[in-house]
Amino acid sequence: LLIIVIIIFSTLYLNKFRERNKSFIIFFIIFISTSLLYLQKGNLESYFFEERLKSQIEEIFDNPEKLKDVDPDLIIIYLEKKLDNSPDDIQGLLILARTCVLSGYYQKADLHYKNALKKFPNNSNLLLEYSILKKNLNQTEGALKLLFQFKSNYSKNIKGRELIIEILYENQKFLQAEKEISELIEIKRNDQEYIKKLK
């Protein structure tokens, strides 16, 4: 439509507005026919998509029960747009990555976790969640790398240490796994029930 308007006004200018009435009639015929064609074949909702999406997502904050009715793809689009304006929002980045995982977009989730890790390299939730994703995608070396980074920052976190042991056993690295178990037993030495379960 914009191209047609430019062509018409360029034509009027080049003709120095000779036969102006005729040119305006042609312009309005083209303008109206193009508008009608767009209304029939186009999608007017695309102009209001962002606003509708924003109001839909904001309704969830007021009524969490509506979450099950919202398409996860829309939540992903909303969060991606929102994070363009505030890229340092760690909670938003985590929610976006989790939503991608839950929707089955594992590559997209991997990308969002990786980008978040560049900004927040020592965030506990980020390291743990990303390592779980890597483990579930059978990228065990990547998962272990993240978990050892997690361990160096959060040495007393049991969940991270258990994941390390689990991955080491799955990869048949039994000596390393035994070393990790010994360290974990030392941390939990006062909890005999846990130690028994661990052994």
Side-chain angles (χ1 to χ4, degrees), residues 28-29 36 47 67 75 86-87 100 102 106 114 123 141 168 179 198:
F28 282 113
I29 289 168
L36 289 171
Y47 289 105
L67 182 60
I75 296 172
S86 52
C100 289
L102 292 171
Y106 300 120
K114 197 180 289 179
N123 182 279
E141 290 304 315
L168 288 171
K179 181 179 174 288
L198 183 65

Side-chain angles (χ1 to χ4, degrees), residues 42-79:
N43 187 357
L44 283 174
E45 284 185 23
S46 61
Y47 289 105
F48 311 105
F49 175 74
E50 244 179 272
E51 283 303 314
R52 285 184 63 227
L53 178 60
K54 189 179 176 186
S55 65
Q56 228 179 340
I57 300 297
E58 283 171 357
E59 275 180 42
I60 295 168
F61 299 134
D62 299 332
N63 185 3
E65 285 294 313
K66 290 187 175 181
L67 182 60
K68 62 180 180 289
D69 301 327
V70 177
D71 182 357
D73 291 353
L74 294 178
I75 296 172
I76 291 168
I77 292 166
Y78 173 78
L79 287 170

Side-chain angles (χ1 to χ4, degrees):
L1 189 62
L2 183 61
I3 290 166
I4 290 166
V5 169
I6 291 166
I7 290 167
I8 295 294
F9 277 105
S10 301
T11 307
L12 289 171
Y13 178 77
L14 291 171
N15 286 331
K16 302 205 184 292
F17 291 92
R18 276 182 257 143
E19 302 178 11
R20 190 167 34 181
N21 291 340
K22 189 178 177 184
S23 296
F24 275 118
I25 290 167
I26 293 167
F27 167 73
F28 282 113
I29 289 168
I30 294 170
F31 181 82
I32 290 165
S33 60
T34 309
S35 302
L36 289 171
L37 184 66
Y38 183 80
L39 287 170
Q40 192 175 22
K41 299 286 183 187
N43 187 357
L44 283 174
E45 284 185 23
S46 61
Y47 289 105
F48 311 105
F49 175 74
E50 244 179 272
E51 283 303 314
R52 285 184 63 227
L53 178 60
K54 189 179 176 186
S55 65
Q56 228 179 340
I57 300 297
E58 283 171 357
E59 275 180 42
I60 295 168
F61 299 134
D62 299 332
N63 185 3
E65 285 294 313
K66 290 187 175 181
L67 182 60
K68 62 180 180 289
D69 301 327
V70 177
D71 182 357
D73 291 353
L74 294 178
I75 296 172
I76 291 168
I77 292 166
Y78 173 78
L79 287 170
E80 284 176 339
K81 285 187 176 296
K82 194 165 174 55
L83 288 166
D84 282 344
N85 301 326
S86 52
D88 294 332
D89 177 8
I90 182 61
Q91 290 308 317
L93 289 165
L94 285 169
I95 292 167
L96 174 58
R98 289 169 192 156
T99 308
C100 289
V101 170
L102 292 171
S103 303
Y105 300 124
Y106 300 120
Q107 283 184 316
K108 207 170 200 182
D110 187 275
L111 179 70
H112 290 305
Y113 277 127
K114 197 180 289 179
N115 289 338
L117 206 57
K118 287 175 189 170
K119 293 172 185 169
F120 306 97
N122 296 318
N123 182 279
S124 60
N125 289 331
L126 184 55
L127 286 166
L128 198 58
E129 287 178 29
Y130 194 17
S131 64
I132 291 168
L133 175 67
K134 292 259 188 206
K135 177 186 176 292
N136 292 340
L137 296 174
N138 292 320
Q139 298 172 8
T140 52
E141 290 304 315
L144 280 173
K145 186 180 173 186
L146 290 164
L147 285 166
F148 281 118
Q149 185 181 338
F150 179 81
K151 178 186 164 186
S152 69
N153 291 304
Y154 308 97
S155 59
K156 296 214 179 342
N157 185 288
I158 304 305
K159 174 73 175 167
R161 286 181 169 268
E162 286 176 344
L163 270 171
I164 290 172
I165 293 165
E166 191 181 323
I167 293 170
L168 288 171
Y169 261 97
E170 283 173 6
N171 290 352
Q172 299 182 346
K173 295 180 179 179
F174 300 119
L175 286 174
Q176 265 186 285
E178 292 300 326
K179 181 179 174 288
E180 291 296 325
I181 288 171
S182 299
E183 288 179 15
L184 189 50
I185 287 170
E186 184 58 33
I187 292 168
K188 299 288 282 184
R189 62 179 174 270
N190 297 326
D191 189 345
Q192 291 305 312
E193 193 178 323
Y194 179 82
I195 291 170
K196 186 180 174 184
K197 181 186 167 190
L198 183 65
K199 285 180 176 178

